[in-house]
Every structure is written in structure tokens, then in C-alpha cells.
Amino acid sequence: MEENGEKRWNFWGMGKLNPQSKTSVRGLLMKIWGSVNKDDPRPLLPLGHGDPSPFPCFRTTPVAEDAVVDSLRSAKFNSYPPTSGLQPARSAIADYLSRDLPYTLSPDDVFLTIGCIQAIEITLRALARPGANILLPRPCFPFYDSYASSINLEVRYFDLNPEKGWEVDIESVEALTDENTVAMVIINPGNPCGSVYTHRHLKEIAETARKLGILVVTDEVYHHLTFGPNPFVPMGVFGSIVPVITLGSISKRWLVPGWRLGWLVISDPNGILRKSGIVECITDCLNMTSDPPTFIQGAVPQILEKTGEDFFSKTIDILREVAHICYEKIQEIPCITCPNKPEGSMFVMAKLNLSLLEDINDDTDFCLKLAKEESVVVLPGVAVGMKNWLRITFAVEPSVLEDGFGRMKAFYERHAKKQ
Amino acid sequence: MERWNFGANREVMIAPSGTTVRGVLKKIMENLDKDDPSRPTVPLGHGDPSPFPCFRTTVLAEDAIVDAVRSAKFNSYPPTMLGLLPARRAIADYLSHDLPYTLTPDDVFLTMGCAQAIEVTIRVLACLGANILLPRPCFPSYGAHASSNNLEVRYFDLIPEKGWEVDIESIEALADENTGAMMVIINPGNPCGSVYTHQQLKKIAETARKLGILVVADEVYHHLTFGTNPFVPMGVFGSIVPVLTLGSISKRWLVPGWRLGWLVTSDPNGILQKTKVVDCIINLLNLISHPPTFIQGAVPHILEKTGDDFFSKIIDILREAAHICYDRIMEIPCITCPNKPVGSMFVMVKLNPSLLEDIIDDMDFCLKLAKEDSVIVLPGVALGMKNWLRITFAVEPSALEDGLGRIKAFCQRHAKKH
């Protein structure tokens, strides 16, 4: 059919790629931002997402900026990068991570990715053989589910126990595993929980995974961002008990999520992942996809080797301070309870008690109204798999946090059920 | 003996070494004689002139990135997965210079290089479960991505005797009602070095319209023309047929390592919007990786401030190199060049193995050439044309002379005795 009436085109976007925005952090946050009152003269307080880089107190170290500038100006890194990453960058990451391991990683164990997000993508794709399933924690960083869904990889959820510092419920892991289960994912330090697992607990997880015949994927994007009694212990420490795939990036520790420089590392001294063909699979996936810009890769050695402890300590001190403020302030708001003081990452999970509130239906409703009335954004727990909880970011300027909680308290008082 | 439940996902392992330029070149480079340090390798196999000083990018582009990094305003995640608005606007303006209508920022999606724009395009169109038409010869990424997305590919011919023109009849013969998607046109051509005329592009547009399919225009070599035909973007015909334009700064600014590209809907009638193709693109972009924020932040400055003197300088070097390449090839009996290259960085030449002793085909030629003379060229089989070769001329002119000299010597050494 032509000219008169609609031209018929052979292509009609079927949208097999369905919008994931319902459950994505970004999608829900956009909806909540959308309900902010534009006529409110007060600044919007963003306590919903994990990116403190806009705040001056969270600016990255000049060492990192210099490294990128030097790399660019050298004009040695304008060419296409090699598929798995520039060798000096892979070496530098292997050395950096090996500092905390009882064995030495080789550069061949390290693959560069576009942020930790791409490391997640590649890992899930490499594991997603037909019929496979993976185990995710509940609550979980929502990207795992979105991406798994888009590649038809079945997901099963095990519980994290709020009464026990958000530790993995080992029994629920065992109950969910069958012969098609290939891996379990842990996020440590925890997003959204703010937990930091002990050596003992991580070892227990490793031994359980080994017994079940599954590998462990450990998301350590918040590596070393701990400010409580438990130090950061990488899962790779137990790499000889169970094969571990370690995901990470410079995004959080260096406060540069926009630079998109991450890694996927095989922490597997017994070479089991290589024998199973998974490493080859990862290499093939990377062959087909984009790579981080070459000059950013070129800056990695300098960034990892030359950043001083003072920069890291400074960041930890601020995080410790704001985590403390956050926990204290939550205690002052009756309708929110926090079972565990945050000890790491940039988030805390707080439980909402709807029975103390008039006319608030659930966590999403709470967040939408909070945004509208007080211009404060927090993430409803449904986005991370726990309805009627809230995920609050404390990685902001301390005054912003104080202000945010002040407004949340006012919101509570306005909506409190009259006795 | 422990038993593990996990194993590789074989479905993603599609023998990629045979399907990407990188993969094929890697295989050939493994044949280099590591014991011959006296002669540097001459890389005439891939499209990346950036290692050569004469092909260094403009300081202006470097400055733009440095300013963006130092400003500390671009360390965050970008606010949207579609690209920073100033960058999208700058690309819309930049491309609109050559179009009879104006693109808006909403027409522009940022990608990690043109490579990712190709990946996104194929994945979006694979939603239709239909088939797509690719030229032969073709840049192999298209076929590789189609294969990994279970999208059927059909090849139409480009006619060497007619300046690598699209064989319209072969397109019409291949298309059916399931050719939902598209045909891909690479102009200026990789690997052919051709530049299509306004008339040729219009005919392609009209044919696509008649068949009800859209056109994907890979214009990563946009404006890199040095012959008689000027660059004409396919988007000029966007009101005849919807066009998806793919491009990047990689080639014109000589920075393929910066990974900054775009996918643009050149579609003034809004058909891609109505048919939900745009929704598909947006949904997919929300799931994948994006260019670093500070590189996006540098885009307006790079596109708006780069002077014509930089562009002219590069064109002049390419023109000279293309000329050298063509002249030297004419001196080699077993290789013929049907068309002098007039754009991009490549030329396709035909190999006549019957004039050579003990060289079976193009792959054999390339493997032996690497081993004996440390010169790398790409065998045409990687692009769908066995017994052809793709030669890059975008290298320092002296390296080009050296390389072609060695190829000539190789051919003489292997010539059949009469």
C-alpha cells in the first residue's frame, strides 16, 4: 500500500526488549524525582542513589585526574584497545587485588570492563547456559535481575537475615540449589544493606558453595569502603575452596563512577574456571563488546599505584561520620527502624512501620509523597526486593544529610497517626 | 573428585576469531617471524592510523577532554542512558549541517564508538525475528552480531566493475516480506574505498521504500573523501525512507580508542517513532554500557571548535597515501585494483593465485606475507570475498611505500616460473 493511507513498513518494533524501568533503580528514581514539587525553593536532597561525586567533599584525588590527563596527552592511547584490556592495566589490577589475597593473581586473570555493570553483564552471559539458574540475595542490587531477565537466565532468591547483620541464610541457599544452579552472588560490602561480612561468614559461604558445586560471584565494587569493626575481606581469599569471580571498579573507592573503569577477575588458584571453559567464554563475550577507552585504561597503573592512603582515609572518615549521623537520625523517627548500623558501602536499609502512619499505603507511596512534600528522594525497598523497607544513601555532604533527615522527621510528624 | 554444576554458555561462543577483523588479524599476526627484528612490521590490515605521528588528533580535542576531567563536573554517572544533552545536541547540529532538515537531540543516542551503534542496531532489529540485507563485501561485525542474535542475513552484491555500486536487482531478489529490517550501506565504503553519488544513494532510498525496509547507513568514515564525489549522508533521503545513521569521532578525529559514537534516527516523517523502533532502541540503551561522562562532556567543544585546517590536513595525507597505494598496486602483476580508492582508509584488490607458485588463496597469501615480509593485510574472506585483499593506506606514507615494496618483492619471489 502506498501514497493514499499509511505506507506499510515491514518493520514494527515488537519490543521484545520490554521496558525494565519498573524494577530498575533508575526507573523508580525517575518516577520519584518526577513527583518533586518544582515550585519548592528548597534544594532537592538526593538520598536515593549511590553517587557522591557531585559533592565537593567527595571529589576524587588529583592523582587520578593527573593520571588520565597524562595518559591522554601522551598520544599513545588513541588507538583501539586490545580485547581483554591493556596489559599494564591488567597487571596493575592484578597487583592491586593480590595485596589482600594469600596468592598472586596473574594479569591473565584480569579482564577490563566498562564499570562494574559491564562486569556483571559479561559474568551472567558467560554462565547462562540453557536451563541454568543463579542465586541472588534478597535484597539485591536490581541490575542483576534486570539483566538476567533480558537474557532469559532464571533467578532464585535466598534471604539475607536482618537480625543477623544481613548475613546469608545458608539454609535458604541449600534449599534453592538444584543441578542447574551454576552460581550464587554476594555483594560485600553490601548494597543495599551496608553490611560487611566477617572472615568466618565468607568462609562458611565458600564451603557451602563448594558442597553444592556452584561458584561464587562476589560484587566488591565497594571494596575497602568499610568504617565499622569488620575489615574488608575479599571473597577471593577463599578461592582455593570454591572458584570465585570477583567484580569491581574504581568507581566507588575513587568516587568516579562516570569514568566507567571496572574489572572482572578470576580468583581461582586451582584453575577450575579455566578448565570448565568459562574463562574462554568470558573472553569471547568481551571480544564482541565495547571496551573502556584506551587512555582511561592507560591511566590505571598510575591511579592504583600512586593514590595515597591519606585520600582513602579521608573518604572513609567522611563516610563513617555520615553513616553515624544517618543511624542516629533514623532512631529519632518512630516510623523507621534500622536493624543494623551500616558498616560499609554507601547505604542502609531501614524498615518502614506503616501502622504508625496515616494515609501512606506502602514504601513507594511513602517515597513519592516524601519527594513531593519535602523534596527528599529515597529509594523504596521494593526496588531491591524488600517491600516496605527503604534504602537510604548516606554518602552525601553531612549538612545535606542533616537537612534531609530534618525534613523526613517533619514528614513523619505530618503523617503520623493521631492517637 | 569434585563435581561442579557450572559450565560455559556455548551459545555465546560463535567462533569469533573468524568473524571479527581483530580476530582474523590476530591469527595472521601470530605468523609474524619474531626472529626478524631488523624490519618493523608494516600494518596494512586495520583501519587505525592513530599510532602514526602524521595522524595525530587535533590538540583541540585533547584540550576538550582535559578541561572536562579537570572541571570535576563529569565524574558522576550520566543523568540519562541516552547521553548527555549537550553532547546529543552538538551531534544533532553537526550532522544537520549536511541535511535538508534539522535533527533534534532526541534523534541522537550516544554509543561506545560506532561498534556499539552497530551492536545496538542489530539487537534492536533482531526483535523482529526477520532477516536483514548486508552488502558483500561487508565489515564483518554486522554478520557477527546478527549471528549471535539469531538474525538471518542475506547478502547483496556490490559491483566492482561499477565503483562498488549496490546491485539493486540483487536486493530486490533477496527481499521478502520478512525483510523487516533493513539493508546496510557503508559509505564511504569499508572495505571498498568507494564514495556513492547523490544519484546512487537516492536510488537505494527509493528501492528500500518500495520494499518497505529501512536503511542503516554506516557513516563512520563520513567526510573522509578525497576523490571527485563529495560525501552525501544517506539521511538526505530520510523523507523517502527512514534511515538509521551510525557514526563516531573515531575516524575523522583519529581517536578510535576514545570510543565515542552515535546512533541517529534520520527520519523526518517520524516513522521509526510510530513503528516503535525508537522505543526498542531506548529500552536497549537502558541496559548497556555508556561512554564515560567526561568524554560525553567534551563532545560539544570537539565538534564545534575543530577547524577545517585540521580536517584538510588529514584529507591531504589520505589522498596522497591512496594515490601511492594505487600506483604501487598497479606495478604488481598478481594483484589488480578495479577502482582507485576515493574515500575511507581502504582499498579492495583482487588476487590472482594462478600467477603464484604455492599460494593457495587469500588467507594463505596473508599468512605467508606476514611470516616472510612482516607485512599485514586482511584476507578478503574475512569480508565475504575470497581471493581478494583489503589493504589499508592510512599509514605514514614512508611506511606505505615500504610495505607495498615488500608485497611486490613477495609476489616476485612467489611468481610462477614460465
Side-chain angles (χ1 to χ4, degrees):
Chain A
M1 198 186 13
E2 267 280 14
E3 308 317 335
N4 306 330
E6 279 300 318
K7 157 89 186 139
R8 194 196 143 268
W9 295 95
N10 283 12
F11 52 87
W12 285 87
M14 247 161 48
K16 223 199 294 184
L17 292 164
N18 291 317
Q20 296 296 329
S21 48
K22 272 203 304 277
T23 50
S24 76
V25 175
R26 197 173 277 271
L28 204 29
L29 281 173
M30 305 253 39
K31 189 174 173 200
I32 292 166
W33 279 331
S35 71
V36 167
N37 181 358
K38 288 156 195 47
D39 297 324
D40 186 345
R42 299 175 299 176
L44 194 159
L45 302 179
L47 305 181
H49 64 293
D51 183 2
S53 60
F55 299 99
C57 66
F58 285 111
R59 180 162 172 170
T60 190
T61 166
V63 167
E65 286 178 15
D66 289 346
V68 170
V69 171
D70 290 347
S71 179
L72 181 73
R73 292 282 193 211
S74 75
K76 290 202 209 134
F77 302 109
N78 291 337
S79 311
Y80 290 110
T83 321
S84 304
L86 274 189
Q87 203 60 11
R90 299 172 81 186
S91 257
I93 293 166
D95 291 344
Y96 171 73
L97 296 176
S98 296
R99 293 180 207 165
D100 301 316
L101 297 172
Y103 53 88
T104 313
L105 294 165
S106 130
D108 291 336
D109 295 321
V110 176
F111 300 93
L112 294 204
T113 58
I114 301 169
C116 194
I117 291 279
Q118 199 196 30
I120 297 173
E121 287 174 32
I122 301 288
T123 302
L124 295 183
R125 278 176 64 195
L127 294 174
R129 61 153 202 255
N133 66 70
I134 58 163
L135 308 184
L136 299 182
R138 174 180 288 131
C140 189
F141 178 57
F143 184 76
Y144 284 91
D145 184 73
S146 309
Y147 194 76
S149 173
S150 76
I151 59 173
N152 294 320
L153 171 61
E154 183 194 340
V155 163
R156 301 175 176 186
Y157 288 95
F158 58 88
D159 298 305
L160 299 182
N161 194 338
E163 281 86 46
K164 276 176 125 194
W166 299 105
E167 280 191 354
V168 170
D169 180 340
I170 299 287
E171 280 173 18
S172 84
V173 170
E174 292 171 336
L176 289 168
T177 302
D178 64 18
E179 66 280 1
N180 289 318
T181 307
V182 295
M184 61 180 290
V185 174
I186 61 165
I187 304 175
N188 183 51
N191 174 9
C193 304
S195 52
V196 177
Y197 293 150
T198 58
H199 187 282
R200 173 204 56 78
H201 186 53
L202 292 167
K203 189 170 186 198
E204 188 185 11
I205 293 170
E207 287 167 345
T208 304
R210 179 195 180 84
K211 188 177 82 175
L212 298 170
I214 64 181
L215 65 92
V216 178
V217 175
T218 181
D219 182 332
E220 294 176 357
V221 74
Y222 292 97
H223 67 286
H224 287 291
L225 292 184
T226 68
F227 33 83
N230 296 337
F232 169 65
V233 177
M235 191 70 199
V237 161
F238 310 99
S240 45
I241 297 179
V242 66
V244 174
I245 296 179
T246 302
L247 315 182
S249 75
I250 58 172
S251 302
K252 308 292 178 177
R253 203 177 188 202
W254 275 267
L255 305 160
V256 288
W259 292 17
R260 318 306 304 122
L261 195 298
W263 50 78
L264 186 166
V265 173
I266 310 296
S267 320
D268 175 33
N270 296 329
I272 295 165
L273 293 175
R274 242 169 248 285
K275 284 194 207 102
S276 72
I278 283 179
V279 175
E280 197 191 333
C281 205
I282 288 169
T283 311
D284 286 346
C285 286
L286 284 169
N287 221 353
M288 295 290 290
T289 62
S290 312
D291 316 294
T294 321
F295 67 85
I296 301 183
Q297 299 191 33
V300 166
Q302 209 172 315
I303 295 173
L304 295 186
E305 288 156 22
K306 298 283 193 285
T307 301
E309 275 306 315
D310 49 315
F311 167 71
F312 295 139
S313 310
K314 190 189 94 165
T315 306
I316 297 289
D317 287 343
I318 304 174
L319 287 175
R320 182 181 297 111
E321 182 194 346
V322 286
H324 186 79
I325 293 171
C326 185
Y327 185 65
E328 296 287 303
K329 295 290 179 202
I330 286 174
Q331 315 246 329
E332 296 172 16
I333 304 176
C335 67
I336 305 176
T337 46
C338 182
N340 298 286
K341 183 172 181 178
E343 300 186 347
S345 86
M346 297 176 179
F347 310 98
V348 68
M349 284 291 277
K351 193 174 163 115
L352 192 54
N353 187 346
L354 292 167
S355 67
L356 296 179
L357 296 166
E358 198 83 61
D359 78 309
I360 304 277
N361 303 325
D362 61 17
D363 52 340
T364 304
D365 195 29
F366 180 96
C367 295
L368 286 166
K369 288 180 167 131
L370 179 66
K372 190 181 166 100
E373 297 173 26
E374 298 291 341
S375 298
V376 173
V377 174
V378 298
L379 186 73
V382 68
V384 297
M386 282 178 81
K387 196 168 154 71
N388 294 338
W389 286 70
L390 304 170
R391 183 189 79 170
I392 301 173
T393 306
F394 47 78
V396 297
E397 197 92 49
S399 58
V400 168
L401 195 61
E402 303 258 12
D403 192 358
F405 274 103
R407 295 189 207 175
M408 263 195 266
K409 188 164 187 195
F411 178 84
Y412 158 72
E413 279 157 6
R414 198 178 318 121
H415 288 269
K417 235 178 205 144
K418 321 289 173 244
Q419 299 304 338
Chain B
M1 180 75 181
E2 68 222 356
R3 200 195 124 266
W4 297 99
N5 281 10
F6 50 80
N9 178 6
R10 303 269 161 209
E11 293 197 342
V12 306
M13 293 160 75
I14 48 158
S17 62
T19 53
T20 60
V21 171
R22 279 205 274 212
V24 175
L25 289 178
K26 185 164 180 228
K27 191 174 167 195
I28 291 169
M29 290 197 285
E30 277 160 12
N31 239 36
L32 285 169
D33 184 358
K34 291 154 193 52
D35 298 325
D36 180 13
S38 59
R39 289 194 296 182
T41 305
V42 181
L44 303 182
H46 63 294
D48 182 2
S50 60
F52 299 99
C54 66
F55 284 112
R56 182 161 171 171
T57 191
T58 166
V59 164
L60 196 138
E62 286 177 16
D63 288 346
I65 302 261
V66 172
D67 289 348
V69 172
R70 294 284 191 211
S71 76
K73 288 203 211 134
F74 301 107
N75 293 337
S76 311
Y77 291 112
T80 142
M81 305 300 251
L82 310 178
L84 279 188
L85 189 56
R88 298 169 77 190
R89 182 178 296 120
I91 293 165
D93 291 344
Y94 171 74
L95 296 176
S96 297
H97 287 155
D98 302 315
L99 297 172
Y101 53 88
T102 312
L103 294 167
T104 78
D106 289 338
D107 291 314
V108 177
F109 304 98
L110 294 202
T111 58
M112 300 232 25
C114 194
Q116 198 190 45
I118 295 174
E119 184 192 339
V120 171
T121 301
I122 297 282
R123 285 177 67 183
V124 164
L125 293 165
C127 281
L128 308 175
N131 63 63
I132 60 166
L133 309 182
L134 299 183
R136 173 180 291 131
C138 188
F139 180 60
S141 278
Y142 287 95
H145 282 296
S147 172
S148 66
N149 284 286
N150 294 318
L151 181 60
E152 183 197 339
V153 171
R154 299 174 181 188
Y155 288 94
F156 57 89
D157 297 304
L158 300 182
I159 307 173
E161 295 80 38
K162 280 172 134 193
W164 298 105
E165 192 177 81
V166 167
D167 183 343
I168 298 285
E169 279 172 19
S170 84
I171 289 182
E172 290 172 338
L174 289 169
D176 62 19
E177 66 282 356
N178 288 320
T179 306
M182 63 175 182
M183 59 163 124
V184 173
I185 303 291
I186 305 175
N187 182 51
N190 175 8
C192 303
S194 53
V195 176
Y196 292 148
T197 60
H198 188 282
Q199 186 193 27
Q200 285 171 320
L201 293 168
K202 189 169 186 198
K203 183 96 178 107
I204 291 168
E206 286 165 349
T207 305
R209 181 192 178 82
K210 191 172 83 175
L211 298 170
I213 65 183
L214 66 90
V215 176
V216 172
D218 182 331
E219 295 177 353
V220 74
Y221 293 96
H222 66 286
H223 286 293
L224 292 184
T225 69
F226 33 83
T228 41
N229 296 341
F231 169 66
V232 176
M234 192 70 198
V236 162
F237 310 99
S239 44
I240 297 179
V241 67
V243 175
L244 283 175
T245 301
L246 315 183
S248 75
I249 59 173
S250 303
K251 308 294 178 177
R252 203 178 188 202
W253 275 267
L254 306 160
V255 288
W258 293 15
R259 318 304 307 121
L260 195 298
W262 50 79
L263 170 64
V264 172
T265 50
S266 316
D267 174 33
N269 297 329
I271 292 166
L272 297 174
Q273 188 78 248
K274 285 191 207 105
T275 54
K276 306 270 184 257
V277 172
V278 173
D279 280 353
C280 260
I281 292 172
I282 292 173
N283 287 340
L284 184 55
L285 287 173
N286 274 314
L287 287 176
I288 63 175
S289 322
H290 297 279
T293 320
F294 65 78
I295 301 185
Q296 299 189 33
V299 166
H301 194 83
I302 295 173
L303 295 186
E304 288 157 20
K305 298 285 194 279
T306 302
D308 274 330
D309 50 316
F310 167 72
F311 295 140
S312 310
K313 189 190 91 165
I314 300 302
I315 296 288
D316 288 344
I317 303 174
L318 286 173
R319 182 183 295 111
E320 181 195 348
H323 191 79
I324 293 171
C325 189
Y326 185 68
D327 281 354
R328 298 288 164 269
I329 286 170
M330 302 284 269
E331 297 170 13
I332 306 174
C334 65
I335 297 177
T336 47
C337 183
N339 297 287
K340 182 171 181 179
V342 288
S344 86
M345 297 176 178
F346 310 99
V347 66
M348 277 294 269
V349 301
K350 195 173 162 104
L351 182 63
N352 189 349
S354 68
L355 295 180
L356 297 167
E357 200 82 60
D358 77 305
I359 302 277
I360 310 164
D361 61 16
D362 52 339
M363 179 63 89
D364 195 29
F365 181 97
C366 293
L367 287 166
K368 287 181 168 129
L369 180 67
K371 191 180 170 91
E372 296 174 27
D373 287 279
S374 302
V375 176
I376 310 290
V377 298
L378 188 71
V381 67
L383 310 158
M385 281 176 82
K386 196 171 151 70
N387 290 339
W388 286 71
L389 304 168
R390 185 189 78 170
I391 301 177
T392 307
F393 47 80
V395 298
E396 197 93 48
S398 57
L400 187 61
E401 295 267 19
D402 184 5
L404 289 164
R406 295 188 210 175
I407 294 177
K408 186 175 181 181
F410 175 88
C411 290
Q412 281 167 345
R413 203 179 321 120
H414 287 268
K416 240 182 200 134
K417 322 286 172 246
H418 291 289

